[in-house]
Structures are given as C-alpha cells and as structure tokens.
Amino acid sequence: MSTHEQHQHIVREVDEQLQHLNQSVSRMGGLAESQLSAVIDAFAKRDSAAAQRIINADSQLDELEQTVENAAIKFLALRQPMAQDLREVVTAFKASHDIERIGDYAVNIAKRVLAINQMEPVSSAASIPRMGRMVQSIVKDTMDAYAERDAEKAIDVWHRDEEVDGMYTSLFRELLTYMMEDPRAITSCTHLLFIAKNIERIGDHATNVAETVHYLVTGERLDDSRPKSDTSSYAVVHPRNDEGGNEDGMDQAGGQPSSEKDA
Amino acid sequence: MAEVRPHRMPLAVALLCAPAVLVLAVLAALGEIGAQAAAASALAVLVGTSALVGWHFRDVASLRHYVENLRQTWEDDAPVPAPPIIRSPGLDQNLGNVIAETARERQQRRQELRTFAARQQSMLAALPDPLLMLDRHGRIADGNPAARQLFGDGIQGRALSTVLRHPDLLAAGEEVLGGGQGRSLEFTLPGAVERIFTARLEPLDQQSSDSSAAVISFHDVTGLRRAERMRADFVANASHELRTPLSSLLGFIETLQGPAKDDPEGRERFLAIMLEQAWRMSILVEDLLSLSRIELDEHSPPTGKVDIVRVLKRVAAELELKAKEKEMRVVLSGMRALPPVLGDADQISQVFQNLVDNAIKYGHHGTDVRIIAEAPAQDASPARRSGADTLSVSVLDQGEGIAREHIPRLTERFYRVDTARSRSLGGTGLGLAIVKHIVNRHRGRLEITSEVGQGSRFTVHLPLAEPAARTKAAE
C-alpha cells in the first residue's frame, strides 16, 4: 500500500473506532434510561419482581462501562489523538462514568423499593414518580444531545437541574412533616427520602453529562456557577404547636447557600 | 462525415491487395503477361479494394458513432434516433436496426423500473406508521416521512443506537440483522409527552439494491395504554381515598352494634358522623367520576359558545348562601358585555364553582370573594400565544395564602397543603385537578398567584369563540 493509501486506511479505522466508542456510550445511555424508567414504574406499582430484575440487570451496565474504558484507553495509547478526536475520547470516559453512576442509583432505588414494599404504602409517595419522570426526561434529553452533538440542548438540560433540586427540597420538607406527625411512618419516609435523594443525584449526573457534551461540541466548559436551588441542607422543621402558627411550621436557617455541597 | 482512422485503412488495403499484386508481379516477371497489363490490373485491384475497404470502414465508423450517441441519449432520456443505413457488403444490413431495437428496449425497461420504484416510494411515504430501513451494519439506510417526523430529519446514515437507545429494541435489531427471524416488541419513548410504540422488525431479502437488510415499522399505541392506565389509576385512587371514611364508618357501625347498642345519645352522635362520612365518600366518587370523564375527553376541544357573564352570575348566586354562613360576600366586577368564550357551559360553570367554593372555604371570615372578568387584552399579556384572543376571569380571596413551594403542585390530584384542614372543610383534594383538566381541554391556561397572609388569586384564561368579533364586543 502506498503511504497515501495507508493514511486513508488509518483515517477510516480511526473513524470507525470513534464511531464504535460513540455508539457504546449511547447504548449505555439507553440502558441507564431503561433502568430508570423501570425503577420508577416498579416504585409506583410496588412491584418487587420488577425491582429485582433491575438489580440483576446492572451488571450489563458495568460491563459496558469496562468495555468503553478499555476501548478508550487503547485508542489513546495507539492513536494519540488531538483536538476533536481527543475530546471525543475524554467525553466517552466521563460520560460513561456518569451514566454508570446513574445506573447504580437506579439500583439503589430498586433496593429501597424492595424494602418499602414490605411496609404499608405512604400517601406522600405520590410525588416521587413525578420527580422521577422529570429526571427521566432530563436524562433522555442529555443522551439526545450527546447523540446529536447539540450544544444548545445540553445547555437547556443544564438549567433544568434547578427544577429537580426545587422538587427535592419540597419533598424533603413534606416528608419531614409527615414523619413528625406520625412516627410510625418514619421507616417508610426515611426510605422515601433516600429514594428522592437518589433521583436528585441522577439528575446531577445527567447534568454532568450535559456539561461534558457541551465541552465536546464547543471545546469550552459551561460557566462554573451551575444554578443550584437545593436548600434542603438548610431546611429546619419545627413541630407545630398551634392552629395560628405558620402555614407549615417550617423555616430556613442560614441565607443563600454559598457552596454546592449536598445534604 | 464519420472519421476514419487514418493508419488502419492503408494497412488493410495493403494486406488485402498484397496477394493479388504479388501474383501479378510474379506473372509479369515470368513474362506471362505484359508489364503494363500487370501494372494496370494491380492498380485496378488496389482501387477496387480501397473503395470496398473505405466503404466498409465508413459504415463501421458511422455505426460506432451511432452507438456512442446512443449512450448520450440514454443519459438525456431522449428518444432513440434512427440508425445509419449500412451498405457495406461486409456487414449485415439489419445490424443498425438491431442495435436501435436493443437501445429502445433498454430505455423502456428503465422507464418501467422507475415508475415501479416511484410507486413503491409513494406507498411507503403515504404510510402513517414510521418505517426505518437498516443496512447490514445497523445504520439507518432510509426512513419514510413519518419516520423523519418522529425521529428528526438527520437520521440517514446514523447508527440505530444513536437515534433509538432502547436496549430491547437494539438487541432485537442485532438479532434480526444477524440472521434471526422477524420479531416485535413494545417500548416507550420517554420525553415531555411519553409515547408507547410497538415495533416490528423484519429481515429483508439480501438482493435488494440499496443494501437494506432489515426494516422496522412502528405503531403508536400510546392512546390505548393511556386509557388502560387511567382506568387502573381511577381504581387505585378511589380505593385509596375511600379507605379512611369507610374504615371509620365500619368502626362506628361496629360500635353501634356492640358497646353503644343501648345508648341513644351515643347513637345520635355516631349516626351524624356516619352520615357525614358517607356523604364525603359520595362526593369523592362523584368527583372522581367527573375527573375521569373530563380526562377521557381532554384531547377533543369543545365547540360551543358560552356567555361567561351569565355563568359567573349564576355561580355567584348559587354560592351566596354558603358565603353568608361565614359572613362573606361574593362580589362581581367587569361584568359588561363580554364576547362569548369557546367552550362547554357545564364544564366552565364547574370550573368557577370549584374556584369560588375554594375561595369561600379558605377565605377569612367576613372578607370578600371577588370575581373579576377582563376583556381581551389589547396588549400582549402573558396569556397563550394569541394574547388578544382570550379573556380572563380571576377569583380572588383574602385567606391565608399559599406558600410558594406548594403552588406548582396545587393542581395535583389529592394534593393538599394542609390535609387535616382540607378534610375538615369537606374537601376531596380533586377540585383543582378538575379545574386544570377542564381548562386544558378548553386550550386555556390557569394562573395561580398568592401571598402568604394576604390571599390568593386564581386566573383562568379562556380562548374566545370568535377571535375576530372581539373588537365589536369589547366596548
């Protein structure tokens, strides 16, 4: 083969390898999306069998992450890519890690569903599927943005994380109130709190992927101050004493959160 | 005039004449014929052969030229021209015609193929179900217009996994491309509006020209599943909410049968509570049924015309008594001649009944409940797209107000800011959900603003029946 032909051949191979990497990350995204969707359904329908299936299916996601990592490392070692190609590989690394975490959180939720199903249903459980669907749509839009290399969509997703945080804060307060009114519900509500937290973390990871996609497409990082409105770290709930008290007896200690740490 | 390759002819002539000329030369040398005669004959042979060969070559050249031209007409789709006339004895006279025939036949065949392909294409395009063709590598070779509408325009050439990520679908795709049988599965496309599809995957005969190896067809079953889900939801909601009053009713009945059998005072009291619980269940069931009915119809907009002023006046009159019990008043304003609203009178009436009822329930003792109607705005208000084609009605109360974090969830079914208070006031938790769904059906908008400690304002924006008529009516 002449040098030119050799060069063409390598370019094609590089393209194919990158495409393959790309597709693997998309597949991971699809798996994580389907796990998330299944676990929200399992929660809403109190389906323990479905929850168990979700836990079992996590190994697929882990294997895929390994595959992506191996392929990415090999690519880096052999091709020493530059510019766009380098960003592709870096994105594959970061995104696959975040997506695998999303899968893990879905499994955590499934485990809690198994625990919750052994107790009486709690009425405030209704808002969790709502939060779940919101995050589901965020994960979907993020993976779409990755597949289409759409920086606008990525930015849009990045902003929606604030809504999820708002819902989480509101849910947090509601559950605290519920627990105070009825101590028998503490076990269920604690599980629900963790489930809500897991959903919120899924939203954060999806937002990470969106940031990575934006970097992939434009080469620039999104502005550091990600809008955060999770004030649950500062939520203090006082037990109600009388009729004429506050609307819901809660107030907030401290002012605007200055860091982005989680509860 | 057809070109003749210059060096070929002399060579051919020379070759053909050579034997004769040689023989003549030998004869002349041997003295059998005179040198002049030999030379003359040789010349005659040369001239004759040249003429024949030249003629032949010319005909061949014109044929070649003709065939080359045919290639051109094939590109342009022009009709096949008449072939040149062959006179050379070395070529079949019909050769030209045969070539022309072949060309015509080929053209016709192409025409037929093209019409056939176009017909198939238009059939595929007309299919309402999205269709995707996959090539051997799992990339999308093509999609019909319905598929482009569903998945976007840039799908061609992309791997299936970058367009549809559902793992079951991808696994099925791989199996079918790998030689497996056709199969079908159901999957959900998440998003703002969730859609459920059944996908049918079929392998294609490998002979097809555009290298498509499989076809996937999608069928939207969202409507079906939604109806099933709503039915299941209704049962779940109803049983959940009815459980409390039912269990309390059972408790009282058991008490009346047992411990309180001979206690007339207890009996009076308990019977009153039981009646209240039974009423609550009855209202709840009514509300649930009503909500179900509304949701089922939600996607089909109403077609009637409603006089909003009349509806509001009637609602105010109906609830006046209830307001009086708390020494409250229902005050109407803005009730001039307003243009009719596109809608269903009963449903719109229900919307305002629910809103005013809430206002009376949660308003402070002795305050006013105000109903304000506003004519269509001349300026762009935050109402829906055509801001000037809607009118708005606001219901204001002076109650405790609603904290900001509750507002986005107010219209959720059974969502209550304060469960105990809502129940004691006889609320079912469904009033605002009913309002929301009716407003949705009317393609309107519900706006809620509130200030804790001051009161709340619920504004309903409704599209007019005749957008153009507003200029006349809004005097």
Side-chain angles (χ1 to χ4, degrees):
Chain A
M1 262 195 269
S2 73
T3 327
H4 176 70
E5 280 171 359
Q6 270 182 323
H7 180 69
Q8 287 289 79
H9 177 70
I10 290 178
V11 167
R12 255 199 314 272
E13 263 194 16
V14 164
D15 263 343
E16 272 178 26
Q17 282 172 343
L18 278 180
Q19 271 195 21
H20 194 71
L21 206 55
N22 185 2
Q23 284 171 35
S24 300
V25 173
S26 278
R27 291 182 87 104
M28 279 187 77
L31 259 175
E33 276 176 281
S34 117
Q35 290 279 76
L36 179 57
S37 162
V39 89
I40 296 173
D41 270 343
F43 174 87
K45 298 186 185 140
R46 291 173 65 85
D47 187 345
S48 296
Q52 190 57 50
R53 282 197 295 270
I54 292 163
I55 297 172
N56 296 342
D58 191 45
S59 56
Q60 257 186 310
L61 206 51
D62 290 339
E63 278 168 25
L64 256 181
E65 199 215 355
Q66 265 314 109
T67 314
V68 167
E69 260 192 37
N70 293 344
I73 292 179
K74 199 160 133 192
F75 189 86
L76 280 178
L78 288 177
R79 308 286 177 200
Q80 283 141 26
M82 306 263 171
Q84 180 74 23
D85 287 357
L86 179 59
R87 290 206 296 272
E88 288 270 0
V89 180
V90 167
T91 301
F93 264 121
K94 296 179 81 174
S96 65
H97 178 69
D98 281 312
I99 295 173
E100 196 263 334
R101 291 303 293 145
I102 292 180
D104 282 346
Y105 282 119
V107 164
N108 288 350
I109 298 176
K111 290 183 185 161
R112 298 218 176 256
V113 167
L114 287 177
I116 278 192
N117 287 352
Q118 309 193 2
M119 298 175 248
E120 280 294 307
V122 176
S123 68
S124 36
S127 25
I128 290 201
R130 212 156 163 252
M131 194 178 160
R133 305 249 173 251
M134 191 189 290
V135 167
Q136 219 184 320
S137 125
I138 288 181
V139 172
K140 173 189 188 282
D141 286 343
T142 305
M143 294 315 306
D144 280 349
Y146 174 77
E148 292 156 23
R149 301 289 195 268
D150 187 342
E152 294 282 320
K153 226 176 209 175
I155 296 180
D156 183 63
V157 165
W158 192 68
H159 282 295
R160 274 152 64 190
D161 193 39
E162 197 177 357
E163 285 176 43
V164 177
D165 291 347
M167 264 207 98
Y168 172 64
T169 309
S170 137
L171 203 64
F172 190 86
R173 294 157 173 257
E174 185 187 335
L175 287 169
L176 285 181
T177 318
Y178 204 72
M179 283 195 269
M180 268 193 289
E181 283 179 358
D182 184 5
R184 290 171 306 172
I186 287 183
T187 318
S188 322
C189 285
T190 312
H191 282 299
L192 289 179
L193 268 175
F194 277 110
I195 291 180
K197 187 61 188 167
N198 286 341
I199 297 180
E200 194 255 335
R201 290 301 293 141
I202 291 179
D204 281 342
H205 279 289
T207 313
N208 284 352
V209 175
E211 285 180 9
T212 313
V213 169
H214 183 268
Y215 169 68
L216 169 66
V217 175
T218 64
E220 284 167 10
R221 302 202 177 280
L222 277 169
D223 188 30
D224 269 332
S225 51
R226 180 196 296 191
K228 270 227 151 293
S229 68
D230 175 3
T231 56
S232 63
S233 321
Y234 301 86
V236 176
V237 177
H238 297 304
R240 260 144 48 75
N241 10 41
D242 55 297
E243 235 61 75
N246 259 340
E247 177 71 48
D248 46 13
M250 296 190 204
D251 67 37
Q252 235 174 311
Q256 277 293 94
S258 56
S259 79
E260 296 172 3
K261 293 250 169 53
D262 300 333
Chain B
M1 173 64 172
E3 356 136 352
V4 176
R5 280 186 223 189
H7 50 283
R8 280 272 191 98
M9 225 181 78
L11 192 59
V13 169
L15 273 173
L16 286 171
C17 298
V21 169
L22 215 57
V23 165
L24 283 170
V26 166
L27 284 178
L30 288 177
E32 298 293 329
I33 40 174
Q36 273 195 346
S41 324
L43 202 58
V45 165
L46 259 170
V47 168
T49 319
S50 301
L52 268 174
V53 169
W55 198 5
H56 182 85
F57 267 117
R58 221 172 310 143
D59 274 348
V60 167
S62 76
L63 261 181
R64 199 185 67 234
H65 189 77
Y66 176 66
V67 167
E68 272 168 18
N69 280 350
L70 274 183
R71 200 168 294 144
Q72 190 60 43
T73 62
W74 189 38
E75 302 288 325
D76 305 335
D77 253 354
V80 175
I85 304 176
I86 311 288
R87 282 188 212 85
S88 160
L91 295 170
D92 187 328
Q93 296 223 338
N94 276 326
L95 193 55
N97 292 331
V98 168
I99 295 179
E101 268 306 306
T102 321
R104 273 191 211 105
E105 204 176 322
R106 190 161 55 161
Q107 204 177 42
Q108 198 179 7
R109 196 51 33 99
R110 267 183 87 239
Q111 210 45 14
E112 283 173 13
L113 269 175
R114 239 181 295 167
T115 343
F116 178 70
R119 203 167 356 124
Q120 297 293 80
Q121 196 67 6
S122 65
M123 264 203 325
L124 277 178
L127 277 178
D129 282 347
L131 263 170
L132 285 179
M133 313 283 254
L134 296 180
D135 70 10
R136 272 172 304 129
H137 306 286
R139 275 191 281 265
I140 298 179
D142 203 0
N144 69 349
R148 280 166 206 278
Q149 201 174 34
L150 182 58
F151 301 118
D153 265 323
I155 50 174
Q156 193 147 11
R158 281 179 35 197
L160 183 63
S161 56
T162 58
V163 174
L164 280 168
R165 292 182 294 273
H166 202 274
D168 293 340
L169 183 65
L170 292 177
E174 274 172 15
E175 278 171 46
V176 165
L177 284 172
Q181 297 254 349
R183 65 203 58 222
S184 62
L185 62 115
E186 192 174 297
F187 72 100
T188 311
L189 267 185
V193 182
E194 198 184 64
R195 293 177 73 175
I196 307 175
F197 288 92
T198 46
R200 245 209 99 64
L201 297 94
E202 286 287 348
L204 283 179
D205 189 359
Q206 284 294 341
Q207 325 287 3
S208 81
S209 60
D210 59 352
S211 75
S212 305
V215 66
I216 314 180
S217 72
F218 301 90
H219 184 62
D220 192 334
V221 293
T222 318
L224 272 172
R225 299 281 176 259
R226 178 112 61 100
E228 284 170 20
R229 202 182 290 174
M230 279 202 327
R231 232 178 305 138
D233 272 354
F234 174 78
V235 173
N237 280 339
S239 13
H240 191 76
E241 285 287 319
L242 286 172
R243 213 195 304 222
T244 321
L246 260 179
S247 58
S248 120
L249 206 56
L250 278 171
F252 282 118
I253 292 177
E254 279 172 13
T255 311
L256 282 175
Q257 282 182 324
K261 209 177 352 185
D262 300 313
D263 178 3
E265 201 183 288
R267 219 171 36 228
E268 284 299 318
R269 208 173 56 232
F270 292 159
L271 281 173
I273 300 177
M274 284 164 64
L275 185 63
E276 190 195 314
Q277 296 291 345
W279 264 119
R280 179 175 306 165
M281 286 198 288
S282 155
I283 296 177
L284 182 62
V285 169
E286 274 308 314
D287 271 355
L288 274 171
L289 279 172
S290 167
L291 188 55
S292 269
R293 237 175 288 134
I294 292 167
E295 274 188 315
L296 227 44
D297 256 349
E298 201 171 334
H299 56 276
S300 57
T303 48
K305 284 197 229 168
V306 179
D307 178 356
I308 199 80
V309 175
R310 195 147 59 135
V311 167
L312 291 173
K313 282 189 176 158
R314 199 174 38 203
V315 166
E318 279 172 14
L319 289 168
E320 202 182 303
L321 216 56
K322 190 163 177 193
K324 267 220 185 85
E325 288 172 15
K326 284 177 77 176
E327 289 177 8
M328 296 169 72
R329 290 187 307 158
V330 179
V331 177
L332 297 161
S333 68
M335 301 287 139
R336 29 201 157 82
L338 292 167
V341 159
L342 184 68
D344 175 326
D346 284 337
Q347 289 191 336
I348 298 211
S349 183
Q350 168 122 59
V351 163
F352 292 107
Q353 261 172 17
N354 287 7
L355 289 177
V356 176
D357 191 57
N358 276 355
I360 296 177
K361 255 194 247 170
Y362 295 100
H364 284 315
H365 201 95
T367 55
D368 283 345
V369 169
R370 281 183 295 151
I371 307 179
I372 306 177
E374 274 166 39
Q378 304 294 6
D379 54 355
S381 66
R384 262 162 107 84
R385 296 152 227 162
S386 44
D389 288 333
T390 64
L391 65 77
S392 22
V393 179
S394 306
V395 176
L396 295 95
D397 70 62
Q398 290 170 291
E400 288 160 29
I402 307 160
R404 194 175 71 97
E405 62 255 20
H406 296 292
I407 295 190
R409 301 185 56 192
L410 276 182
T411 53
E412 224 178 272
R413 267 193 241 204
F414 301 120
Y415 183 82
R416 289 145 163 123
V417 168
D418 182 338
T419 316
R421 181 179 66 174
S422 162
R423 285 232 173 87
S424 72
L425 288 170
T428 55
L430 288 175
L432 282 178
I434 291 179
V435 165
K436 179 181 92 169
H437 284 283
I438 294 181
V439 170
N440 275 352
R441 178 173 181 234
H442 285 65
R443 308 300 190 257
R445 213 165 62 91
L446 175 66
E447 212 182 305
I448 306 174
T449 44
S450 182
E451 199 60 63
V452 173
Q454 301 212 350
S456 318
R457 178 191 185 120
F458 288 73
T459 310
V460 177
H461 303 280
L462 291 167
L464 298 176
E466 283 151 27
R470 68 175 162 85
T471 39
K472 273 201 206 144
E475 294 308 320

